[in-house]
Amino acid sequence: MKKILVIGSNGQIGTDLLSKLREIYTPEQVWASDIRVPQSDEHHFIHLDATDYESVKSALIKLEIDEVYLMAAILSGNAEKMPNKAWDINMKVLFNALELAKDGFIKKLFWPSSIAVFGPHTPRINTPQYTIMDPNTVYGISKLAGERWIEYYKNRYHIDVRSVRYPGVISWKTMPGGGTTDYAVEIFHEALLKGRYTSFLEKHTALPMMYMPDAIDATIRIMEAPVEKLRIHSSYNIAGITFTPEELANAIKAYLPEFEIDYQTDFRQAIAESWPESIDDRMAFKDWHWHHKYDLDAMVKDMLDNLSQKYHMAVSLSM
Ligand code: SER
């Protein structure tokens, strides 16, 4: 029976990934780890600083781990506030895992890349798998460098490492930690709690987004795919929904008619403008049959349903 470790299990994607893996596998098979200790009592949790090679190595040995999902990273917005530190952390956690895979301590590794690998000269509509990549954020540079390194380790040392380029991921369980697409999560909380939201992105800024169940499906699907089907050893484009802050606000207004939005952009506007609007993910479909399921309305409805329950509020979700 294989054993899995999620590194960064308290983060936005880590939280949902962990619950899904625990539905699929037995509790003994799935271990969680994070640099932050969870608030509630957590079984099969190990406190781990993923930048510390020796700690990661001893956890892998002690828990007899086969597969690792490496979800620890500093996201785009936060990385711009501390460029050197973000580069250092993002690269160190990746290199530790690659070295441990090379030495046989990890049999299969998932490492997420991002739409942030693209830049101002990348075609923005239906961005192809192979295209100009000139990221101008620290986060994007670290992800593009990471993509080159995972492919290098695969070719040179024959490790099994798999990756997708996540768009902005929307979810209700855990808040995202300092990204450019965070507005699309914050907006739901504020719509329910305050009836209004000030967006830090301008109303017409379209970005590629995805609802969490689709992001988790892509993650697990690529990890379960037969290795010989995978033709891309850097990172696969995956597409979901594209919308602007204004379009998202209108979709929320369909259920909460009183909701109001205004706009006050900050430094993240420039980051968003350097990223694609939509993604061509035909390679992921061809190689491991991936396709997103949630459209804008299904995502909005499910977000409002879950968050209104979390906040003990009654919201009518029939239109
Ligand atoms: N959601 C991420 C960010 O905004 C993109 O990978 O940084």
Side-chain angles (χ1 to χ4, degrees), residues 75-77 114-116 139 166-169 178-182 275:
L75 291 186
S76 59
S114 158
I115 52 156
Y139 177 68
Y166 288 130
V169 179
T180 301
T181 54
D182 292 15
W275 288 355

Side-chain angles (χ1 to χ4, degrees), residues 15-79:
T15 305
D16 280 272
L17 177 62
L18 188 67
S19 356
K20 190 68 193 179
L21 289 169
R22 286 187 168 156
E23 278 172 30
I24 302 173
Y25 299 100
T26 64
E28 290 70 36
Q29 285 179 278
V30 185
W31 277 81
S33 70
D34 203 286
I35 195 159
R36 290 163 295 178
V37 179
Q39 313 230 295
S40 54
D41 254 5
E42 165 101 55
H43 295 292
H44 292 100
F45 175 87
I46 182 163
H47 181 239
L48 201 58
D49 174 356
T51 63
D52 180 355
Y53 176 86
E54 287 305 328
S55 313
V56 183
K57 184 175 169 181
S58 31
L60 295 173
I61 295 171
K62 187 169 139 217
L63 306 174
E64 300 177 314
I65 297 299
D66 303 288
E67 291 182 9
V68 170
Y69 291 79
L70 179 54
M71 313 309 283
I74 309 287
L75 291 186
S76 59
N78 282 351

Side-chain angles (χ1 to χ4, degrees), residues 162-181:
R162 301 166 184 218
S163 179
V164 296
R165 293 172 178 153
Y166 288 130
V169 179
I170 297 154
S171 69
W172 57 271
K173 280 188 193 150
T174 306
M175 295 300 277
T180 301
T181 54

Side-chain angles (χ1 to χ4, degrees), residues 12-287:
Q12 189 204 5
I13 302 178
T15 305
D16 280 272
L17 177 62
L18 188 67
S19 356
K20 190 68 193 179
L21 289 169
R22 286 187 168 156
E23 278 172 30
I24 302 173
Y25 299 100
T26 64
E28 290 70 36
Q29 285 179 278
V30 185
W31 277 81
S33 70
D34 203 286
I35 195 159
R36 290 163 295 178
V37 179
Q39 313 230 295
S40 54
D41 254 5
E42 165 101 55
H43 295 292
H44 292 100
F45 175 87
I46 182 163
H47 181 239
L48 201 58
D49 174 356
T51 63
D52 180 355
Y53 176 86
E54 287 305 328
S55 313
V56 183
K57 184 175 169 181
S58 31
L60 295 173
I61 295 171
K62 187 169 139 217
L63 306 174
E64 300 177 314
I65 297 299
D66 303 288
E67 291 182 9
V68 170
Y69 291 79
L70 179 54
M71 313 309 283
I74 309 287
L75 291 186
S76 59
N78 282 351
E80 290 310 300
K81 295 180 193 152
M82 41 173 192
N84 300 49
K85 196 172 167 197
W87 169 261
D88 206 42
I89 292 174
N90 287 354
M91 297 317 285
K92 205 170 249 169
V93 298
L94 173 60
F95 270 105
N96 284 347
L98 289 175
E99 280 294 302
L100 288 161
K102 181 182 113 186
D103 293 338
F105 295 102
I106 300 172
K107 293 195 186 75
K108 204 192 273 185
L109 173 64
F110 178 84
W111 172 81
S113 185
S114 158
I115 52 156
V117 292
F118 301 116
H121 294 89
T122 306
R124 300 194 68 203
I125 314 286
N126 267 328
T127 300
Q129 175 70 39
Y130 295 107
T131 183
I132 296 169
M133 298 167 96
D134 58 346
N136 57 10
T137 63
V138 181
Y139 177 68
I141 298 169
S142 75
K143 288 294 182 189
L144 181 53
E147 285 194 12
R148 304 320 309 144
W149 276 110
I150 65 171
E151 188 178 277
Y152 181 87
Y153 267 72
K154 144 85 181 119
N155 290 339
R156 174 118 194 228
Y157 306 115
H158 311 293
I159 66 167
D160 188 351
V161 48
R162 301 166 184 218
S163 179
V164 296
R165 293 172 178 153
Y166 288 130
V169 179
I170 297 154
S171 69
W172 57 271
K173 280 188 193 150
T174 306
M175 295 300 277
T180 301
T181 54
D182 292 15
Y183 92 84
V185 177
E186 289 170 7
I187 192 171
F188 286 96
H189 293 263
E190 308 250 319
L192 284 166
L193 296 174
K194 298 185 190 153
R196 55 174 305 112
Y197 179 63
T198 301
S199 168
F200 58 77
L201 295 186
E202 186 265 318
K203 64 161 91 167
H204 297 308
T205 308
L207 283 171
M209 301 277 188
M210 182 178 285
Y211 196 35
M212 184 64 88
D214 281 330
I216 299 301
D217 183 27
T219 308
I220 294 176
R221 203 174 270 264
I222 193 175
M223 282 295 267
E224 310 269 285
V227 71
E228 63 279 5
K229 296 276 181 214
L230 303 175
R231 289 178 294 168
I232 293 172
H233 300 292
S234 54
S235 190
Y236 279 88
N237 274 5
I238 54 168
I241 334 162
T242 287
F243 54 79
T244 64
E246 186 178 48
E247 286 162 349
L248 178 57
N250 287 338
I252 293 173
K253 266 188 208 167
Y255 298 102
L256 304 173
E258 313 285 293
F259 172 61
E260 278 177 34
I261 185 163
D262 62 356
Y263 304 89
Q264 230 172 296
T265 58
D266 67 16
F267 70 102
R268 288 170 285 191
Q269 179 63 31
I271 301 180
E273 283 172 19
S274 77
W275 288 355
E277 288 186 13
S278 57
I279 301 289
D280 177 348
D281 65 352
R282 277 174 296 178
M283 299 283 287
F285 177 72
K286 272 191 206 136
D287 288 4

